[in-house]
Each structure stands twice: as C-alpha cells, then as structure tokens.
Amino acid sequence: MRLTVIGTGYVGTVHAACMADIGHEVLGIDIDAERVASLAAGRAPVHEAGLSELLARTIASRRLRFTTSLAQGSHFARTHFICVGTPQLKDGKAADLRHVDAVVDGLAPHLSPGSLIVGKSTVPVGTAARLGQRIAAVAHDCEVAWNPEFLREGTAVDDTMHPERIVVGVTSDRADAVLRRIYQPMLRNGVPYFRTDPATAELVKVASNSFLASKISFINAMAEVCEAAGADARLLARAIGADSRIGPLFLEPGLGFGGSCLPKDIRAFTARAEELGAREAVAFLNEVDRINTRQRHRTVDLARRLVGGEFTGRRIGVLGAAFKPGSDDVRDSPALAVAEAIRKEGALVRVHDPEALDTARTAWPELAYALDIPKACEAADLVLHLTAWPEYRRIDPVGLATVVSRPALLDARNALDEEAWRAAGWAFHAPGRPLRTEPGRVVDGAS
Ligand code: NAD
C-alpha cells in the first residue's frame, strides 16, 4: 500500500522505515528540510538499534522516500499517518496540539475523497473527533482514525515490527480494513488487534502511560519509606514483583522517569480530565508526578551529603545523560537534571554517556562532558550512576577506583553489583537502602 508518514522524528522515522520494510511504499514528510535531506541520505535522526540499517535497506529498495511537501503527499497516497510532536504547553499542563492541527490544515485542502488520516501522536481524548470535523469542513468523505504508538525508545524498531498489541480507533469498517491490510504481516504473526472507537484508542495510550508512571512512582514512594524504616527497597520490589498480579517490570526503585512521553502525557491527561469534568478521577497522577520529581531532588540531596554537605569545588563524575539506556534522547532527562542541579551548586561535573553526548551537549552546553568513563570520573569525589546503560554494569570497579579521588558511588538506578563495588573498596549507596557508613574510608555525610 501507499502511505505517507507526516513528522519524521522518533516515532515517524521508525514507523516509516518499518512500514517500508514490510512492503509498503512510504513517503516520509517533515517541515524540517535539513532533517528530510539527512533522512534521504540515509542518516537516522536518532540513535536507535537497527534503525540505520533499516533506513539504508528501505531507501535502497526505493520503497521509502522523503519530502517536505504535504501536497505531494496527498497525491502520493490516500492513507496518512500523523506522527508530529505533542509537547506540553509552555504555560500549562495540557498538550500543545499546534503541530497536529497544522498538519491537518495543510493536508485537508489536498485530500481526495476516501482518504484516511491515522493519528499516531499521543493526544488528548476527543482530538480525532475534533480533527474529523475540521477536515469535513474542507474535504469530502475523509475519516480520522487513531492508532496510538507504543514503541519504547531503545527498542523502537523491534517494538514496531513485533508489537505487543495494535490498537485502532475507527468509525468505519473501511478504515478498519485499511489498517488491517497495513498491519497484515504483524496480524499474521498473531499480534492482538483491538478495534475501538477513536476516543477509546486515544485513552488507551494515556492510560497505559499513566499506569506505567504510577508503577514507577509507587516503588519510589516505597523506597522513601524503606529508607526511613531501614528496610531495603530492592528486596521489597523483588518480593512484591513475584506476585503475578503485580509483576517485576517497572518496579525498580531509582531516579524515576523522564523523556518526552511519560511526564508530559500524565500532565496532559490531568488537564484534559479537568476539561471533561473528571479532575478527581486522575488527581492521583499529580502525586505520581510529584513523587517522580522528588527523586531528582533526593538524589541531589544524597549526593551532597556524600561529599560532606557542600558541592562547591567537589568533582563529580556522572555516568549517563540519556533519559534511558538504548537512546540518545535527552528530553527531560533525569540524569541531566541532576547533573545540572549539582553543577549549579558549584560542583565540577563531568558527564559520560555511550550515545547521548552530542544531544546532551546541545541541550545542556554548560555541563562538561567526557568521551570515556575514566575521564568522566578522573579525580572525582563522588561518582553518580544516573542512566542504566549495560556498559556501566561492565565497569571494573577495581580499575575505576584508581582514577577517582575517593571511591564513592551513588547508584541512583539501583542497577550495579553492590558486592563487587564494595569488594573493590567503594562506598556504595543506592536509593531505597539503608545508608551504610564506612568509617575511615570515604567521605560520608551520614557518618
Ligand atoms: P519528535 O519531536 O521526535 O518528532 C516530531 C517531528 O514532527 C519533527 O521531526 C518535526 O520537525 C515534525 N513536524 C512538526 N510539525 C510538523 C508539520 N507541521 N509537518 C510535518 N512535520 C512536522 O517527536 P516524537 O518523539 O517522534 O513523538 C511524536 C508523537 O508520538 C508525540 O505525540 C509523542 O508523544 C508520541 N510518542 C512518542 C514516543 C517516543 O518514544 N518518542 C512513543 C510513543 C508515542
């Protein structure tokens, strides 16, 4: 089938390349001419496993091309996926829908009858219905469906090729049939397909993200209680996660969530619920958000204690800049928020990340960066582990102890092997665990 994918950022590039790979003819469209030129040359706009190879393959097959012209897109295909950004409004919690609206307004005058517009962007419930009316004012016999995107950065290509479910919110059998044809290779593999109305599909996405965010904040709230009670949140998480009704995933006490989705999605959900008169129903998400933000402050506070109560003049080595491993995305990165807060208090902070140094440098030019782990930790008074890249689990703590000024580590992701680090002489701290003091060995504000 012929498709356009409008907005070739994280979601759009992956979707366009995957759709081309399963046999469709795809035209990717973006207003960013530089991005379009770079994509046409096969350069992926983001670091994502398998994406560069996929782009090279599908561009070479000529099933994937790129343009900046919506008009060209409307002549090319009758099915159009919208993948533009829906960030948080600068002056509020709600989603900024200006990019989605601009696409629809740009596309509508060129649409031929029978066209299907499929939203993949995460939007407030009711958006598909509103856009449908907007299009109906200028175009004849077109439908707006919603097909939320569930890919996870870091495994985006695999998630698109092998999704856990496909959700489509449609108002007609025709739209349902088109989407079933598009996703046929996945459906043949037994991927569950949920046909809903558009409002339910829009809500599935924000409800999923709200649930995940709540699970993360739940275990972080428990970690705070564990610290107060002298209990161990990691063991607690394992034990409660063994209950099959709860499950172990997303139950890792630590620095909390960030990125371009969970924080803004839960805020937009509360704003939309308020508009709908259902504010109380999701008021708990405000607390989820607060718990999450608190983890960043708590990490800074604990780090300050561990260097003796003041950051001024202290050297801090930071492991991780991306908001999560497997990605070079630093949007609302908890790691960089912590690094920057510590720098502002007068510490000399040097950040390492295996993939996100360029994006981090652009977003946070005030921070210093290092190309390798020893350089980031050179002469450090404290090392902070802030993004759980697998590379950091492979660090030799004995070797790293020789480059730092004091072997003290705060594993804010609760992901490193405590015993191995302690055996190598490190003072090891992690959220949700009792503060252990090592008299005579390291600076420890708790002692
Ligand atoms: P992004 O910022 O990486 O990409 C958005 C792209 O849209 C940019 O390339 C931008 O130039 C382009 N664009 C903006 N206005 C345009 C217009 N009028 N015409 C054409 N192109 C335009 O965003 P993203 O991370 O890919 O997210 C897109 C949507 O998908 C958001 O609603 C997001 O919440 C949702 N989502 C994201 C993820 C994720 O992991 N990134 C996962 C699921 C859902």
Side-chain angles (χ1 to χ4, degrees):
M1 289 181 73
R2 286 181 151 218
L3 325 166
T4 74
V5 174
I6 305 166
T8 52
Y10 223 112
V11 168
T13 301
V14 172
H15 187 64
C18 289
M19 292 302 103
D21 205 45
I22 61 173
H24 302 302
E25 266 192 69
V26 182
L27 186 62
I29 305 174
D30 204 289
I31 41 167
D32 182 339
E34 220 173 282
R35 173 161 289 187
V36 164
S38 157
L39 277 165
R43 283 191 295 277
V46 292
H47 167 81
E48 192 58 51
L51 184 56
S52 296
E53 297 81 346
L54 192 62
L55 273 178
R57 188 161 72 232
T58 48
I59 291 171
S61 74
R62 303 195 56 76
R63 283 201 303 275
L64 178 59
R65 280 170 291 154
F66 296 93
T67 180
T68 52
S69 165
L70 274 180
Q72 190 187 336
S74 61
H75 292 122
F76 175 81
R78 295 212 305 175
T79 304
H80 307 281
F81 284 92
I82 300 182
C83 300
V84 295
T86 50
Q88 185 179 342
L89 280 173
K90 293 227 164 11
D91 55 356
K93 286 186 164 187
D96 181 350
L97 295 176
R98 86 178 75 167
H99 302 305
V100 173
D101 289 356
V103 168
V104 164
D105 291 345
L107 202 56
H110 306 288
L111 289 173
S112 42
S115 292
L116 176 64
I117 291 90
V118 188
K120 288 195 85 60
S121 301
T122 304
V123 291
V125 58
T127 302
R130 182 177 65 76
L131 296 177
Q133 287 168 3
R134 211 161 161 134
I135 290 177
V138 272
H140 178 60
D141 191 28
C142 294
E143 179 173 341
V144 177
W146 223 261
N147 167 217
E149 179 56 62
F150 300 106
L151 66 76
R152 293 161 297 179
E153 295 189 12
T155 52
V157 171
D158 198 48
D159 289 345
T160 306
M161 292 303 213
H162 308 284
E164 288 181 326
R165 81 290 213 194
I166 293 170
V167 177
V168 300
V170 293
T171 54
S172 74
D173 290 342
R174 188 173 70 180
D176 177 53
V178 168
L179 286 159
R180 280 181 190 274
R181 254 185 85 193
I182 290 172
Y183 291 120
Q184 203 193 14
M186 286 82 176
L187 301 186
R188 256 202 317 263
N189 287 338
V191 171
Y193 178 91
F194 296 93
R195 174 181 172 170
T196 71
D197 55 276
T200 304
E202 290 163 334
L203 274 175
V204 169
K205 176 65 192 176
V206 287
S208 297
N209 276 359
S210 297
F211 190 86
L212 295 173
S214 303
K215 210 172 169 192
I216 295 169
S217 278
F218 173 83
I219 198 62
N220 283 334
M222 293 305 108
E224 290 183 38
V225 178
C226 282
E227 277 173 29
D232 188 324
R234 224 174 29 149
L235 297 177
L236 175 101
R238 277 192 215 142
I240 60 178
D243 183 329
S244 61
R245 294 167 302 176
I246 297 173
L249 299 179
F250 274 59
L251 270 192
E252 288 140 17
L255 185 48
F257 57 82
S260 68
C261 290
L262 292 194
K264 62 111 175 150
D265 287 352
I266 60 171
R267 291 173 200 148
F269 194 17
T270 58
R272 182 61 181 142
E274 187 160 353
E275 285 171 4
L276 293 168
R279 185 167 65 92
E280 288 302 317
V282 293
F284 71 96
L285 290 175
N286 294 321
E287 195 54 38
V288 166
D289 200 5
R290 268 195 294 273
I291 293 169
N292 190 56
T293 305
R294 197 157 65 232
Q295 304 320 307
R296 300 176 187 195
H297 299 309
R298 276 164 34 82
T299 303
V300 173
D301 291 345
L302 180 53
R304 194 188 303 103
R305 281 176 72 189
L306 294 175
V307 295
E310 258 214 57
F311 281 122
T312 315
R314 297 291 192 186
R315 289 185 180 272
I316 311 289
V318 167
L319 302 179
F323 88 95
K324 67 184 280 196
S327 165
D328 63 351
D329 198 339
V330 296
R331 291 179 281 186
D332 198 359
S333 162
L336 288 177
V338 167
E340 175 61 7
I342 289 175
R343 184 198 69 82
K344 273 196 172 144
E345 287 193 37
L348 304 162
V349 180
R350 192 167 285 163
V351 182
H352 172 266
D353 191 283
E355 294 295 342
L357 285 184
D358 289 344
T359 46
R361 243 191 224 108
T362 307
W364 300 89
E366 307 83 2
L367 287 163
Y369 295 93
L371 289 176
D372 60 45
I373 296 168
K375 199 89 200 137
C377 300
E378 201 172 67
D381 298 291
L382 177 67
V383 174
L384 301 181
H385 176 233
L386 301 182
T387 308
W389 285 96
E391 282 86 337
Y392 298 146
R393 287 199 290 278
R394 294 195 290 268
I395 291 174
D396 169 20
V398 176
L400 199 64
T402 63
V403 310
V404 296
S405 161
R406 294 186 181 91
L409 178 85
L410 170 50
D411 177 14
R413 291 295 180 185
N414 257 307
L416 302 178
D417 180 349
E418 176 174 359
E419 290 320 314
W421 284 77
R422 282 190 181 281
W426 288 75
F428 185 99
H429 304 279
R433 292 194 241 172
L435 262 188
R436 297 222 313 232
T437 58
E438 268 106 323
R441 187 174 274 162
V442 291
V443 170
D444 189 332
S447 55

